[in-house]
Amino acid sequence: MDKNFQEQFTGSIKFTPPLYKQRYQFIKDLVGKYKPKKVADLGCADCTLLWMLKFCSCIEVLAGLDVCASVMKEKMHRLSPLPGDYLQPAERSLTVTLHHGSVAHKDPCMLGFDLVTCIELIEHLEQSELKKFPEVVFGFMAPSLVVISTPNSEFNPLLPGVTLFRHPDHKFEWDRAQFQSWALETARRYDYSVEFTGVGHPPTGMENVGFCTQIGVFVRKSPQTSESAQSEKPTEAAYKTVFKAVYPSLKDEKYLQNAVVSEVIFTAQIIKQSLMDCLVSEHKEYNDDPTERKCKFQPSMNCFSEDLGKLVVEKSMEPFVNGNVVYIPLITIFSFPKVNRLCGTFEKLRKLIAGKVTLSSDGSAVMFNTEHENK
Ligand code: SAH
């Protein structure tokens, strides 16, 4: 695709990092600045930018669109959740969807996005598609932020081997004046402001040619009301969904329950272990000098690590042992920051672990049978 083709030609003008990475980094920086929740990449090709963006924790919805389904499918598996995502679900929700279709058509699945990126896309559009493009992106999708990048033809004489265009599929390549006049007119018509920048600095002494890739950053002037978002928007789908991944997230009750149950059992185990260690050491003391024995199988606070001890004291809820059974009060477990943060309220904790963790008959403590451990 474009990125390999351009690298081939920019061999003697070496961009470090490569130009396509600089373009993607530009988007990542913008995401860091504006923190959009919903991002769509139009002309996403092999989904490399989408793959990079899935690591941006502010993003909850990622969508890709390309007119070429086969290029999208090449590496789309990279957008699927990894085993680690299931083992430790993220707090945010994340859905990644790929659509097959053209930017010349409107589809309601592209509504509601905060940021729409069009990286090296417009120069691939036929005249008729380019004409429809502003109405689809700025008029219909109307995100608060649009980024459009395209080759700056003034840079071409510096690229060895480039006679007409940088890529055989390019339908045109604009100089800065052409791009800026198109962008300014588009921005004016759809009530956006636009600023121009770029990536790929020209060599020293050739600064007058401008960036190798020119970029327009469009910001919507008027806040979108729910009315303007809904008005005259078609409900008919024009794109075909070719991929969808819903990442495990703690926002989903099922994953939250798993996380809370694991954390409760883990926390209870730590408390229980401290208690058992304490009992063993006291038992040893007793054997060494029976007259010195301080407490009869009753754990004292110095059995616990400082933090743990503090929490237990604060809540004045000590775990206790009855025969082979250790009871760890639920309120103590709830005091632990991670459990607390996951559940929010004590009631929620009780609800999430109900039926999943063995509790005392009154439901106030986690129960552990230590029979095997004692042996
Ligand atoms: N954004 C990518 C790919 C750029 S190449 C990158 O930066 O590397 C342009 C991509 O736009 C190609 O994958 C091509 O299939 C796609 N494309 C061309 N015309 C399109 C159209 N009308 N609608 C959607 N995508 C289109």
Side-chain angles (χ1 to χ4, degrees):
M1 282 320 299
D2 254 18
K3 42 185 196 230
N4 302 329
F5 209 84
Q6 272 180 24
E7 259 164 37
Q8 190 184 319
F9 279 127
T10 51
S12 57
I13 289 196
K14 200 163 160 42
F15 290 111
T16 332
L19 206 50
Y20 77 93
K21 282 197 182 162
Q22 291 191 37
R23 289 192 288 260
Y24 296 162
Q25 190 56 47
F26 180 88
I27 301 297
K28 274 193 87 174
D29 292 345
L30 214 69
V31 165
K33 185 174 166 194
Y34 288 95
K35 307 251 181 294
K37 279 190 177 168
K38 300 182 175 188
V39 181
D41 185 30
L42 312 183
C44 62
D46 67 2
C47 311
T48 305
L49 177 59
L50 291 170
W51 173 78
M52 283 175 72
L53 293 179
K54 83 169 190 159
F55 298 100
C56 299
S57 58
C58 61
I59 297 178
E60 295 180 0
V61 175
L62 266 179
L65 171 72
D66 205 290
V67 80
C68 178
S70 57
V71 69
M72 261 195 305
K73 287 178 181 173
E74 256 171 43
K75 297 180 188 167
M76 70 182 181
H77 59 271
R78 290 185 299 174
L79 299 173
S80 298
L82 297 168
D85 293 316
Y86 289 98
L87 288 171
Q88 210 157 21
E91 296 213 0
R92 61 137 174 196
S93 59
L94 175 63
T95 305
V96 186
T97 318
L98 296 179
H99 306 282
H100 176 217
S102 167
V103 288
H105 299 133
K106 298 173 182 174
D107 186 305
C109 73
M110 281 292 157
L111 292 175
F113 283 86
D114 305 307
L115 166 64
V116 167
T117 56
C118 309
I119 307 302
E120 308 298 273
L121 165 70
I122 58 170
E123 65 276 10
H124 290 265
L125 302 181
E126 299 284 356
Q127 201 57 43
S128 59
E129 295 174 315
L130 184 68
K131 235 181 126 200
K132 291 179 186 154
F133 174 85
E135 173 52 25
V136 175
V137 174
F138 295 92
F140 175 71
M141 296 182 194
S144 31
L145 210 57
V146 179
V147 182
I148 297 181
S149 88
T150 193
N152 165 21
S153 64
E154 291 165 81
F155 201 101
N156 286 0
L158 301 180
L159 302 175
V162 175
T163 46
L164 182 62
F165 296 144
R166 296 181 194 179
H167 190 282
D169 188 51
H170 287 181
K171 310 298 185 297
F172 61 88
E173 283 179 6
W174 283 336
D175 60 25
R176 280 170 293 177
Q178 287 171 309
F179 176 55
Q180 292 184 14
S181 90
W182 175 85
L184 284 165
E185 171 53 21
T186 303
R188 189 198 58 75
R189 188 177 304 164
Y190 295 97
D191 204 24
Y192 279 72
S193 64
V194 57
E195 284 188 9
F196 300 99
T197 178
V199 291
H201 282 277
T204 318
M206 310 291 273
E207 287 82 2
N208 60 324
V209 302
F211 289 108
C212 189
T213 296
Q214 48 184 338
I215 299 175
V217 179
F218 301 74
V219 180
R220 199 185 58 223
K221 284 186 189 165
S222 53
Q224 199 176 34
T225 63
S226 54
E227 261 168 52
S228 63
Q230 297 305 317
S231 65
E232 294 168 42
K233 307 285 186 188
T235 47
E236 234 173 81
Y239 306 158
K240 187 171 169 243
T241 303
V242 293
F243 173 91
K244 184 167 180 173
V246 179
Y247 278 64
S249 153
L250 296 177
K251 294 233 164 78
D252 179 335
E253 190 90 351
K254 175 177 75 191
Y255 292 108
L256 177 65
Q257 183 175 49
N258 277 345
V260 167
V261 168
S262 311
E263 199 56 34
V264 163
I265 293 172
F266 176 73
T267 307
Q269 286 277 12
I270 288 180
I271 299 173
K272 188 206 74 179
Q273 200 50 52
S274 300
L275 188 66
M276 301 311 284
D277 291 349
C278 165
L279 291 176
V280 167
S281 69
E282 282 182 356
H283 193 64
K284 249 171 80 192
E285 269 177 40
Y286 172 71
N287 283 345
D288 291 347
D289 180 0
T291 55
E292 284 295 299
R293 191 172 180 214
K294 292 185 190 87
C295 63
K296 199 176 178 189
F297 288 104
Q298 194 62 44
S300 58
M301 276 309 129
N302 56 17
C303 301
F304 298 103
S305 72
E306 213 174 295
D307 286 347
L308 184 53
K310 213 172 122 229
L311 278 168
V312 174
V313 169
E314 272 169 12
K315 296 285 165 196
S316 59
M317 288 300 255
E318 270 191 64
F320 57 94
V321 183
N322 187 0
N324 284 325
V325 182
V326 180
Y327 295 86
I328 321 281
L330 218 46
I331 194 78
T332 307
I333 295 170
F334 183 64
S335 312
F336 278 65
K338 195 160 175 201
V339 178
N340 198 290
R341 191 165 46 81
L342 282 170
C343 305
T345 65
F346 187 62
E347 268 322 296
K348 181 95 184 178
L349 167 64
R350 292 179 83 114
K351 191 177 152 230
L352 287 167
I353 64 168
K356 302 274 176 187
V357 177
T358 312
L359 297 177
S360 55
S361 54
D362 66 353
S364 69
V366 172
M367 269 169 62
F368 278 115
N369 197 318
T370 59
E371 196 176 356
H372 297 293
E373 292 168 48
N374 288 344
K375 274 178 197 160

